[in-house]
Amino acid sequence: MSDTAIPLAGVIGLPIGHSRSPALHRHWLRQLGLPGHYVPMAVQQEHLAEVLQSMPKMGFVGCNVTIPHKEAALDLADSVTDRAALIGAANTLTFRADGRLIADNTDGYGFLENLKHSVPHWRADSGPAVVFGAGGAARAVIVALLDAGAPEIRLTNRTKSRSEVLRKEFGGRLVVYDWVQAGNMLDDAMTVVNATSLGMTGRPEFRVPLDGLNPNAVVNDLVYSPLDTGFLQRAREVGCTTVDGLNMLIHQAAPGFERWFGMRPEIDETVRQVLLPR
Ligand code: ATR
């Protein structure tokens, strides 16, 4: 195979050094014996358009985009999937042969696949859901839960105006609660998700009281560093089934890998080991 036929992909962000995506994609390339390279790329906001225009000419077949470029990437795309448009951000870009840029968002897919694989009996339509947070990650979770049939989503965020914006955008199935009253919205909820950065290494702990949790609820933290967060530990004390955030990262990466490198990757314990926080 000539050099030019080796597909290139990568992740664009700023900063990007902390990203686990290169380790993940390289593991899959090795495991499947596929040719290809996946590189981290630190790109300034003002250079994003120029970089995305040049990449297909250099042999890139696509890339992931992460903070702070997820919204800008959507605006720069020639075509946008429905789910990326709804979420208002892109994380997976594909260059067509003619250089046109397709933007997709697989975060919500990764979130749902993680829950479905970790708790096979889990169903979005089994009862109300609770989402903590109203940032980009929360938007993806909300779109996914609505799409999967959640009858009601109770939303709370430190900055209430951000929750109100989401309610206006996504409509009647969203109910907004004050952050200080967040403990009161847990009653009879069947799915509970932390989509804030609270509990992440180096960030403040998640302190909302969880004693009102329904023991039948499935509780998921999008934070995966540390893997077993205080939020998940407290939910287990109440008797809930808990799901960590690492497999969401893995599942959201799989569609991009398949599109760029041509094979569906394995999601098994070996890939979790590659990504475990160190
Ligand atoms: P992401 O795209 O990962 O969701 P983000 O848009 O910065 O990142 O959102 C981070 C989320 O964590 C927000 O919901 C944020 O609440 P605010 O909208 O009030 O900022 C939440 N968050 C971060 N630090 C927090 C803290 N100390 N207390 C409560 N919520 C916090």
Side-chain angles (χ1 to χ4, degrees):
M1 184 180 277
S2 73
D3 278 354
T4 51
I6 295 180
L8 306 180
V11 56
I12 299 179
L14 199 71
I16 200 60
H18 67 285
S19 171
R20 305 299 291 138
S21 294
L24 175 58
H25 287 268
R26 287 169 187 167
H27 168 82
W28 280 333
L29 284 168
R30 257 198 320 273
Q31 191 180 47
L32 295 167
L34 290 171
H37 297 285
Y38 187 102
V39 291
M41 292 168 276
V43 174
Q44 302 284 340
Q45 192 103 48
E46 65 267 30
H47 296 147
L48 183 66
E50 188 188 338
V51 165
L52 289 176
Q53 261 179 12
S54 305
M55 285 171 68
K57 300 170 197 152
M58 297 158 66
F60 278 86
V61 288
C63 63
N64 290 118
V65 275
T66 187
I67 294 167
H69 300 314
K70 286 183 166 192
E71 289 83 13
L74 197 68
D75 295 337
L76 291 167
D78 297 300
S79 129
V80 170
T81 63
D82 289 349
R83 58 188 181 178
L86 267 176
I87 294 168
N91 75 338
T92 304
L93 307 182
T94 305
F95 300 113
R96 288 201 335 207
D98 61 3
R100 289 172 74 81
L101 179 58
I102 319 287
D104 192 7
N105 192 314
T106 62
D107 284 335
Y109 165 83
F111 162 75
L112 284 182
E113 288 297 297
N114 183 21
L115 285 189
K116 286 183 197 164
H117 283 85
S118 306
V119 188
H121 68 265
W122 175 81
R123 291 185 56 101
D125 61 5
S126 61
V130 162
V131 176
F132 294 98
R139 289 181 76 92
V141 166
I142 288 166
V143 167
L145 284 172
L146 287 174
D147 198 38
E152 176 184 323
I153 299 179
R154 300 170 185 163
L155 179 62
T156 190
N157 191 52
R158 174 181 59 178
T159 311
K160 192 177 180 187
S161 55
R162 288 185 93 186
S163 321
E164 300 283 9
V165 167
L166 292 180
R167 197 188 56 79
K168 280 204 189 82
E169 210 169 313
F170 296 119
R173 277 192 279 163
L174 262 64
V175 185
V176 171
Y177 284 71
D178 282 335
W179 184 248
V180 287
Q181 291 171 351
N184 298 340
M185 62 182 195
L186 299 170
D187 189 30
D188 77 359
M190 292 300 285
T191 309
V192 178
V193 185
N194 174 32
T196 74
S197 50
L198 291 171
M200 199 181 279
T201 308
R203 299 287 179 89
E205 195 43 73
F206 186 102
R207 299 211 181 279
V208 174
L210 297 179
D211 26 301
L213 274 174
N214 168 3
N216 295 322
V218 171
V219 178
N220 174 221
D221 202 335
L222 302 197
V223 170
Y224 58 84
S225 178
L227 198 58
D228 195 23
T229 59
F231 175 72
L232 294 180
Q233 287 167 15
R234 283 161 55 213
R236 274 202 306 278
E237 279 162 23
V238 179
C240 297
T241 304
T242 59
V243 180
D244 70 58
L246 192 60
N247 278 19
M248 172 171 167
L249 178 75
I250 300 171
H251 282 287
Q252 64 78 32
F257 184 93
E258 184 174 9
R259 259 168 245 164
W260 306 324
F261 299 117
M263 274 177 86
R264 192 78 181 168
E266 281 284 322
I267 296 179
D268 55 15
E269 193 49 40
T270 65
V271 66
R272 270 177 77 82
Q273 290 302 323
V274 169
L275 292 180
L276 281 178
R278 32 202 97 211

